[in-house]
């Protein structure tokens, strides 16, 4: 969840539009649970990023830190996981 963010961090960031399920603020971190493409997603980021439950929002995935699976659920590629 550290590479799905409520802001665009890089030019390569992929926008994901989804519906906010719940947004939790814990000190200086925000955890945002949202639904996109029929799946549940979680974003955990530094800073306070308030969202309203039920709102539509755009979050951003960093593809260079992704894990990619085929239709059978097998891992086919993992990038940038060491750092």
């Amino acid at each position: 969840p550290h590479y799905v963010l409520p802001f665009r961090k890089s030019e390569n960031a992929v926008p994901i539009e989804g519906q906010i399920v719940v947004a939790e603020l814990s000190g200086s971190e925000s955890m945002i649970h949202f639904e996109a493409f029929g799946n549940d997603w979680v974003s955990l980021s530094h800073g306070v990023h308030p969202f309203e439950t039920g709102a539509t929002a755009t979050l951003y995935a960093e593809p260079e830190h992704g894990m990619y699976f085929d239709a059978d659920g097998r891992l086919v590629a993992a990038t940038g996981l060491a750092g």
Side-chain angles (χ1 to χ4, degrees), residues 39-64:
N39 292 297
D40 295 326
W41 295 67
V42 177
S43 167
L44 176 62
S45 61
H46 295 288
V48 176
H49 305 283
F51 288 90
E52 288 192 33
T53 299
T56 299
T58 302
L59 288 93
Y60 299 88
E62 297 291 330
E64 63 271 17

Side-chain angles (χ1 to χ4, degrees), residues 1-80:
H2 297 328
Y3 300 109
V4 178
L5 303 170
F7 54 88
R8 183 181 293 273
K9 186 175 179 179
S10 72
E11 285 184 22
N12 295 330
V14 176
I16 302 171
E17 186 173 288
Q19 184 174 20
I20 303 300
V21 176
V22 67
E24 303 173 66
L25 304 177
S26 177
S28 63
E29 290 187 324
S30 297
M31 183 173 288
I32 303 158
H33 299 258
F34 65 105
E35 185 176 297
F37 311 111
N39 292 297
D40 295 326
W41 295 67
V42 177
S43 167
L44 176 62
S45 61
H46 295 288
V48 176
H49 305 283
F51 288 90
E52 288 192 33
T53 299
T56 299
T58 302
L59 288 93
Y60 299 88
E62 297 291 330
E64 63 271 17
H65 296 286
M67 296 177 72
Y68 300 92
F69 299 86
D70 66 15
D72 296 320
R74 290 185 299 254
L75 180 67
V76 294
T79 59

